[in-house]
Amino acid sequence: MAELKMIPSPNRDRDGGGTTIEARFAHFCKDDLALDDGDFLEQAMKLFGQSKSLLLANVSAIGTGTLDEAERYWFSFVLYSVRRLSENVGPKEKGLNLCQILRAAKLNIIEFYKELHQYLIKVGSILSNLFGEDWEKRLEAKESHTNFVHLTLLRKKYERAFRDLFSIVDADDSKQLNVANVSGHGSDYYRFGWLLFLALRVHVFRLCKDLVSCTHGLVSVLAILLIHIPARYRNFNLNDSDRIVMKGDKADLLASLCNMYDTSEDVLRQTLDKANNLITDILKKNHRLASDCTPENLENIVTDGLIYFDDLMDESSLPSSVNLLEKDYDSATRDMDGLDERIFINDNDSLLVSGSLSALNMSGSGTKRKIDTMSSPTKTISSPLSPYRSPVRHSNGYAGGGMSKMAATPVSTAMTTAKWLCSVIAPLPSKPSAELERFLQSCDRDVSADVTRRAQVILEAIFPSSGPGQNATLMDNIWAEQRRIEAMKLYFRVLQALCMAESQILHVNNLTSLLTSERFHRCMLACSAELVLATHKTVTMLFPTVLERTGITAFDLSKVIESFIRHEETLPRELRRHLNSLEERLLESMVWEKGSSMYNSLIVAKPALSAEITRLGFLAEPMPSLDAIAMHINMSSGVLAPTQKHDKIGQNVDIRSPKRVCTEYRSVLVERNSFTSPVKDRLLALNNLKSKFPAPILHSAFASPTRPNPGGGGETCAETAVNVFFSKIVKLAAVRINGMVERLQLSQQIRESVYCLFQKILGQRTTLFFSRHIDQIILCCFYGVAKISQLNLTFKEIIFNYKKQPQCKPQVFRSVYVDWKAPRRTGKTGPDHVDIITFYNEIFIPAVKPLLVELAPGGSEQGGSHASEAKNNIDGAFPAPASPKPSSFPSLPDMSPKKVSAAHNVYVSPLRSSKMDALISHSSKSYYACVGESTHAYQSPSKDLTAINDRLNGTRKLRVALKFNEEEGGLVRGTGLVTDSVVADSLCIQNGKRVLTPVKSEQQPEL
């Protein structure tokens, strides 16, 4: 390893940072951040010293690849880690937050989070040695990033709403100059609203900072602004019945806001009361009932339950109110090490500018573009199986003015999904129904009390009311209680549906083996809780928190995902997507991690792997007992003590059998991608009933692995579980292999060879998957097949195209696990994680070479076919006509949108009726173009389609959108966008049938 100490950095040297990397880091800490010598700086220097070799080895992979920028990233990573994990933080270091670190390093937040994950992977073992095994839980990097994304979405929501409701946002408009301190988004009105919202987050939403609760808080702030900002600045008319909810002859302000932003009026009123209390406490303003006063702002508005503050928005007092809110935020967050959330009210803040600050003069891209990319609802694709989609954007970036209904955004989607809990789940009883009670009482013994108690204990562990050091508020405890009730109601609802289905299959009402299974109930409760958490978009309890707090692992949860989707017909589309996304995460990597219960079944199904699994220590620990979980709740005053991932405490009731066996027969995720229609969902479900595996009976899924499978066939439950699990892995791999083949424009023969090799590795070299990502094996398969097929395909080209895949994660090819202690490693040593090329050379090829030889020309498989042809030629005078060889590649579900060109990013999808409203929106543009009506007068549709095909199959490679509004001799030419209004106007009905099919041309981002 090269020595880092003498590598100069001209930029740092000119600033007096010194010529050694340690000196430059010390200069950054002491001079740029004004940190004092002490325990904090000593720990930072220690972490930096132990990780500096990793910095040099990965300079080219950090940021733009320059040493100066890589150093600044590494300095920030080290200080952020120590600030979060160190227990010895002095008074000055307590005031050090992420924003201060990034300003000193001249970096932006977006790129910081993008690179942080790679840093944590590389230095994970060092952090573990310095700060303990639980460093990842305490660092909360994923939660911090999610919080930033949520704030970005909320800021966009607030900005759009403020523009929609008020007309005082443009300082360049001379008509608005009479408003006090108006300066774009720096308006005191605008700033006051955001700071009041932050006060709610700090004082009210301390623990329950989920997207749904914060949206209610944001809407309550909008209500306060509407009540107090002078009516002349409103951007809407109270008499507009299409936009305003009327109550008699007056406008119901809160009902109108609830209708606009999909909020609950009861929750909104509660949050509004909290916001009013903060105004009283922080700003010391006197309040009175709005019904007792008659300000101009409240004319023709229902005032029941509204509070009015005198002179709250007066031009003379508004600046002082803003200053008081600023001081309160400073005081409340003085010891916090995260983001300064005030940066979001300034679009020009350097921390939000895309690209390194040192390269601003070269970048030219700004905040809005980068944040829009991050927060666009169409970019947030749940399933990587779905193709890339370009967003539908309005020309001015906003919806129509005047309290109009907003287009779908991540926030509005979350609020719509939350309505499902309120309207479908909330009215249900929080105890088993009479029908479910009948099943519980029909067991060998009445298990009703056990089921209810278990639900209470497990849900209390997932949604703790309070805990030491957490400083929970009353609002936090109410939030936790509400989430527990919602999860319990959903659990009982789906449990009843499952019992009815199992009863019909078995033709009995006694379901003792299922309803007495501790693992089954915990999986059901975990799935219910995860859906509630996903609905509210929580920050503090991200997946896999439910696994850790219930004592189960990823393999356990996979047993009930399909059942939940199948037996809860009212489940919203977004929650189906979430479950599909979870299942894909389980299949691609989580079930292969150390401590997965899949290994407990694997040693029974494949005894030959038992020694290796035991040597690696991959077996799952026993599941903690319910009493142990209850004891932890009581000892920690409502918070389950954190446990290591997959390291559980206590003992399982049935210690003899591994606690996680999966007998699902297909992957819902693979076959229900996020773009299939509900009708297609049902068809896929019916088609897959023809699978070679019998329909699963849930009680057998939780039986002992050594028990014979009730379905017959002579297999044990473990063998069936492993076979079914492997079939799901192969199906997922087929989808991803097919996507890569299309991107690389390879032949179908290569596709089948890669698929065949992957199957052989899974069956014969299963240990290659241990503690790895399946995409790592797929990438190596592509390169291996390319080499034996003498195909000119480099690893660089494979990785370049893999980066364009929706499921791509940089750590897949940058960080591959290697066990150098394996018996066949011939004494070699090295880091635990290496790049994909090192893994291919050192691990993959030695293990897979015999399998690759079989695929090579003249190999065993090809030799067998040649021998068969030779025999045919000898036996007869003329060779018998050969039947086409059936493809070994499985048939994949029909994706929608469907990619129709291997060389171009063009997708075809039927137009859903639900999207008609968005298309009709005026003054908006998208990448839609319709085919069906002639592009030229008196021209047949076939010629139009021919013109489009000629365009797609042409040799010119232009990364442009199709344009159908310029014609020349019937041919489509030029580039540009087709407005949505044009598309909507062109939707004609002929003979009662719609004759158009939208074609969407999309551009993949260049990396």
Side-chain angles (χ1 to χ4, degrees):
M1 181 67 66
E3 178 59 48
L4 286 171
K5 291 186 178 180
M6 299 308 297
I7 296 177
S9 175
N11 293 337
R12 291 287 174 188
D13 193 38
R14 284 195 299 270
D15 294 338
T19 58
T20 66
I21 195 169
E22 291 92 343
R24 293 194 291 274
F25 179 63
H27 170 80
F28 178 78
C29 295
K30 294 181 179 180
D31 293 3
D32 295 349
L33 291 172
L35 299 179
D36 297 331
D37 291 327
D39 292 338
F40 178 85
L41 187 57
E42 181 181 349
Q43 284 187 316
M45 293 298 298
K46 185 176 182 180
L47 173 59
F48 185 80
Q50 294 185 20
S51 65
K52 64 180 182 180
S53 59
L54 296 173
L55 166 60
L56 179 63
N58 295 277
V59 167
S60 61
I62 301 174
T64 58
T66 64
L67 178 61
D68 179 69
E69 186 178 58
E71 283 184 10
R72 288 185 282 115
Y73 272 113
W74 210 265
F75 294 170
S76 303
F77 296 151
V78 169
L79 288 174
Y80 178 71
S81 303
V82 176
R83 176 64 182 89
R84 293 284 297 176
L85 299 175
S86 177
E87 297 178 355
N88 300 319
V89 180
K92 181 172 289 187
E93 288 78 15
K94 282 186 177 181
L96 182 66
N97 59 42
L98 177 59
C99 291
Q100 294 174 345
I101 295 173
L102 296 183
R103 289 189 196 279
K106 299 180 180 179
L107 299 172
N108 73 83
I109 299 174
I110 299 170
E111 297 299 329
F112 172 82
Y113 280 120
K114 179 180 178 181
E115 300 289 343
L116 177 62
H117 187 67
Q118 292 303 313
Y119 161 81
L120 295 177
I121 291 177
K122 293 177 175 61
V123 302
S125 58
I126 300 175
L127 292 174
S128 180
N129 293 332
L130 292 178
F131 300 104
E133 295 292 335
D134 63 341
W135 68 267
E136 192 170 3
K137 290 180 180 295
R138 292 158 51 203
L139 186 65
E140 296 182 332
K142 184 168 60 173
E143 288 81 357
S144 176
H145 186 200
T146 302
N147 183 57
F148 171 72
V149 174
H150 283 187
L151 282 168
T152 300
L153 297 173
L154 291 167
R155 192 275 306 175
K156 287 174 62 68
K157 190 77 172 179
Y158 178 57
E159 176 187 341
R160 291 184 177 182
F162 196 86
R163 284 180 177 269
D164 197 43
L165 298 176
F166 305 103
S167 59
I168 53 175
V169 294
D170 190 359
D172 296 329
D173 188 348
S174 59
K175 296 181 181 180
Q176 308 297 336
L177 292 180
N178 61 332
V179 180
N181 299 325
V182 172
S183 178
H185 290 164
S187 164
D188 278 348
Y189 294 117
Y190 183 85
R191 191 172 188 85
F192 175 90
W194 184 258
L195 290 173
L196 181 58
F197 168 66
L198 295 186
L200 278 169
R201 284 175 57 86
V202 170
H203 297 291
V204 179
F205 303 138
R206 290 179 182 174
L207 300 181
C208 56
K209 292 181 181 178
D210 63 277
L211 192 59
V212 173
S213 296
C214 287
T215 301
H216 280 91
L218 201 61
V219 176
S220 71
V221 169
L222 292 174
I224 292 175
L225 294 178
L226 284 171
I227 293 172
H228 294 90
I229 290 181
R232 63 182 179 275
Y233 297 127
R234 288 177 186 160
N235 200 27
F236 59 93
N237 191 333
L238 289 177
N239 297 322
D240 191 342
S241 59
D242 293 335
R243 300 168 182 171
I244 304 299
V245 176
M246 304 300 294
K247 188 175 182 181
D249 59 348
K250 292 187 177 182
D252 191 331
L253 187 62
L254 295 186
S256 300
L257 290 173
C258 291
N259 183 58
M260 290 170 55
Y261 303 110
D262 296 313
T263 53
S264 165
E265 187 167 349
D266 291 337
V267 178
L268 180 60
R269 288 186 179 276
Q270 295 173 8
T271 311
L272 184 59
D273 289 340
K274 300 292 183 181
N276 288 330
N277 292 338
L278 288 177
I279 293 176
T280 302
D281 296 339
I282 299 174
L283 303 182
K284 310 302 180 184
K285 296 289 185 180
N286 296 322
H287 67 274
R288 48 181 173 157
L289 293 177
S291 57
D292 295 340
C293 56
T294 56
E296 177 188 355
N297 283 11
L298 297 180
E299 289 183 1
N300 300 319
I301 291 180
V302 177
T303 58
D304 295 344
L306 299 183
I307 298 295
Y308 185 79
F309 294 90
D310 293 321
D311 73 4
L312 180 63
M313 292 294 173
D314 286 356
E315 295 180 6
S316 58
S317 64
L318 183 59
S320 62
S321 296
V322 171
N323 290 335
L324 286 174
L325 288 173
E326 292 260 17
K327 291 179 181 179
D328 177 78
Y329 184 83
D330 283 330
S331 175
T333 60
R334 182 177 294 114
D335 296 337
M336 294 184 181
D337 48 23
L339 290 173
D340 184 340
E341 299 173 358
R342 292 171 293 186
I343 62 175
F344 291 94
I345 49 180
N346 184 9
D347 273 350
N348 296 321
D349 195 296
S350 59
L351 295 178
L352 298 177
V353 176
S354 177
S356 173
L357 299 188
S358 60
L360 280 180
N361 57 340
M362 301 173 58
S363 175
S365 57
T367 309
K368 190 170 184 60
R369 180 179 179 184
K370 189 69 177 182
I371 292 183
D372 283 353
T373 300
M374 174 180 291
S375 59
S376 169
T378 51
K379 294 291 182 66
T380 312
I381 300 177
S382 299
S383 172
L385 296 176
S386 307
Y388 175 90
R389 301 176 67 196
S390 62
V392 179
R393 293 176 295 180
H394 301 297
S395 59
N396 61 357
Y398 303 98
M403 300 188 77
S404 59
K405 193 75 172 180
M406 293 289 185
T409 65
V411 176
S412 63
T413 300
M415 300 306 294
T416 302
T417 306
K419 277 189 172 182
W420 170 75
L421 279 179
C422 295
S423 60
V424 177
I425 304 302
L428 299 175
S430 56
K431 61 180 181 179
S433 65
E435 182 68 17
L436 179 57
E437 284 279 4
R438 183 172 64 86
F439 285 108
L440 299 177
Q441 295 171 359
S442 298
C443 296
D444 293 345
R445 63 179 181 84
D446 188 350
V447 296
S448 302
D450 294 341
V451 168
T452 302
R453 176 180 178 270
R454 183 188 297 107
Q456 293 171 345
V457 171
I458 295 297
L459 293 177
E460 175 72 19
I462 298 174
F463 302 103
S465 295
S466 61
Q470 290 187 330
N471 196 19
T473 65
L474 177 62
M475 191 76 169
D476 293 323
N477 291 333
I478 293 174
W479 181 89
E481 177 64 22
Q482 290 173 341
R483 302 296 83 78
R484 286 196 294 268
I485 293 174
E486 290 169 349
M488 185 174 294
K489 291 178 178 180
L490 178 59
Y491 161 68
F492 287 141
R493 176 185 173 94
V494 181
L495 180 61
Q496 175 182 323
L498 286 173
C499 289
M500 294 176 65
E502 289 289 300
S503 176
Q504 292 177 1
I505 293 174
L506 300 174
H507 304 291
V508 295
N509 290 331
N510 188 337
L511 304 176
T512 299
S513 60
L514 178 66
L515 295 179
T516 57
S517 171
E518 182 73 17
R519 297 185 295 274
F520 164 70
H521 287 289
R522 291 198 193 183
C523 291
M524 293 287 293
L525 288 165
C527 194
S528 300
E530 178 60 28
L531 287 177
V532 170
L533 289 169
T535 298
H536 289 271
K537 303 290 184 184
T538 57
V539 172
T540 56
M541 287 182 279
L542 301 176
F543 189 80
T545 299
V546 294
L547 303 184
E548 299 164 356
R549 296 188 179 184
T550 56
I552 63 175
T553 67
F555 200 49
D556 288 308
L557 190 63
S558 67
K559 302 175 185 180
V560 298
I561 288 180
E562 178 184 353
S563 297
F564 245 91
I565 293 178
R566 184 186 302 171
H567 293 99
E568 183 45 65
E569 297 180 354
T570 67
L571 204 63
R573 182 182 181 85
E574 289 302 316
L575 294 184
R576 289 174 180 266
R577 287 182 177 180
H578 180 71
L579 289 180
N580 288 342
S581 178
L582 286 186
E583 186 176 15
E584 188 161 354
R585 287 177 61 185
L586 305 183
L587 293 176
E588 67 184 12
S589 61
M590 291 187 69
V591 293
W592 298 105
E593 293 176 358
K594 179 180 179 180
S596 170
S597 56
M598 184 270 298
Y599 294 110
N600 296 59
S601 294
L602 200 58
I603 61 174
V604 176
K606 293 192 171 187
L609 299 175
S610 178
E612 180 68 4
I613 293 174
T614 303
R615 183 188 70 82
L616 293 170
F618 277 11
L619 288 175
E621 294 293 330
M623 185 169 60
S625 67
L626 191 64
D627 290 337
I629 294 177
M631 181 179 64
H632 274 282
I633 295 174
N634 294 331
M635 291 177 59
S636 56
S637 300
V639 175
L640 179 64
T643 58
Q644 296 299 317
K645 191 173 187 180
H646 305 305
D647 292 340
K648 308 297 186 263
I649 60 172
Q651 296 295 322
N652 190 5
V653 176
D654 184 7
I655 303 178
R656 295 173 299 170
S657 64
K659 58 184 177 302
R660 305 149 180 92
V661 183
C662 177
T663 55
E664 290 180 320
Y665 65 98
R666 68 181 182 92
S667 167
V668 177
L669 174 66
V670 175
E671 298 174 359
R672 291 184 191 163
N673 66 85
S674 59
F675 290 96
T676 50
S677 65
V679 174
K680 187 178 292 184
D681 273 351
R682 298 188 185 96
L683 292 177
L684 287 171
L686 292 175
N687 290 337
N688 280 281
L689 292 177
K690 301 177 182 179
S691 171
K692 64 179 180 179
F693 296 103
I697 301 177
L698 274 176
H699 77 268
S700 65
F702 295 89
S704 170
T706 57
R707 178 182 174 180
N709 180 17
E715 289 184 336
T716 62
C717 288
E719 289 174 315
T720 302
V722 170
N723 288 336
V724 172
F725 170 68
F726 278 13
S727 71
K728 295 162 71 175
I729 292 289
V730 167
K731 193 63 175 290
L732 176 59
V735 173
R736 297 187 172 181
I737 290 170
N738 190 63
M740 284 292 292
V741 166
E742 289 184 353
R743 286 202 178 276
L744 293 166
Q745 300 183 42
L746 302 176
S747 66
Q748 299 304 311
Q749 181 181 355
I750 297 296
R751 182 182 73 164
E752 294 193 11
S753 296
V754 172
Y755 175 73
C756 182
L757 178 60
F758 182 90
Q759 281 185 304
K760 287 178 177 290
I761 294 173
L762 183 61
Q764 303 177 32
R765 302 290 189 271
T766 312
T767 55
L768 282 177
F769 287 84
F770 290 2
S771 199
R772 297 190 179 105
H773 196 289
I774 68 168
D775 284 1
Q776 294 166 343
I777 308 301
I778 292 174
L779 295 177
C780 290
C781 286
F782 267 100
Y783 188 71
V785 169
K787 295 296 287 184
I788 60 107
S789 302
Q790 298 182 352
L791 187 66
N792 186 21
L793 181 63
T794 65
F795 230 129
K796 182 178 180 180
E797 186 177 358
I798 294 173
I799 293 176
F800 175 78
N801 283 275
Y802 175 73
K803 288 180 179 179
K804 298 181 180 180
Q805 289 295 99
Q807 83 277 4
C808 171
K809 296 177 182 176
Q811 62 265 30
V812 168
F813 51 84
R814 291 181 181 176
S815 182
V816 189
Y817 170 75
V818 173
D819 176 29
W820 297 106
K821 298 179 182 179
R824 295 181 295 278
R825 293 289 86 84
T826 64
K828 289 187 177 182
T829 59
D832 292 338
H833 290 82
V834 298
D835 60 75
I836 189 76
I837 296 178
T838 302
F839 167 73
Y840 177 87
N841 292 328
E842 299 293 338
I843 308 297
F844 185 83
I845 279 298
V848 177
K849 188 175 181 180
L851 304 181
L852 274 171
V853 171
E854 294 179 3
L855 294 176
S860 60
E861 291 191 357
Q862 285 78 0
S865 61
H866 292 326
S868 178
E869 291 180 7
K871 185 177 185 300
N872 288 336
N873 289 335
I874 294 173
D875 291 344
F878 300 98
S883 300
K885 182 180 178 181
S887 173
S888 61
F889 199 81
S891 59
L892 299 177
D894 188 19
M895 301 291 184
S896 175
K898 183 177 182 180
K899 191 172 183 180
V900 295
S901 171
H904 303 274
N905 293 316
V906 179
Y907 300 86
V908 173
S909 175
L911 182 66
R912 296 194 189 101
S913 58
S914 60
K915 293 197 173 184
M916 284 295 300
D917 293 338
L919 290 178
I920 296 176
S921 175
H922 294 290
S923 66
S924 57
K925 295 182 178 181
S926 70
Y927 288 99
Y928 286 98
C930 288
V931 181
E933 285 189 293
S934 179
T935 58
H936 191 270
Y938 308 109
Q939 180 171 283
S940 65
S942 62
K943 291 184 179 180
D944 288 320
L945 296 175
T946 300
I948 294 171
N949 287 332
D950 291 342
R951 176 74 173 183
L952 295 179
N953 297 328
T955 57
R956 295 180 64 193
K957 295 184 178 180
L958 300 176
R959 297 180 63 82
V960 298
L962 294 178
K963 187 174 183 181
F964 290 82
N965 58 347
E966 293 187 15
E967 308 151 10
E968 184 175 353
L971 297 178
V972 180
R973 65 181 182 86
T975 63
L977 302 177
V978 181
T979 64
D980 288 331
S981 57
V982 171
V983 174
D985 292 340
S986 65
L987 296 174
C988 62
I989 305 295
Q990 296 181 3
N991 298 327
K993 296 181 180 180
R994 192 174 301 281
V995 297
L996 298 181
T997 303
V999 177
K1000 183 163 54 176
S1001 175
E1002 309 197 11
Q1003 307 301 322
Q1004 294 286 358
E1006 294 190 13
L1007 302 178

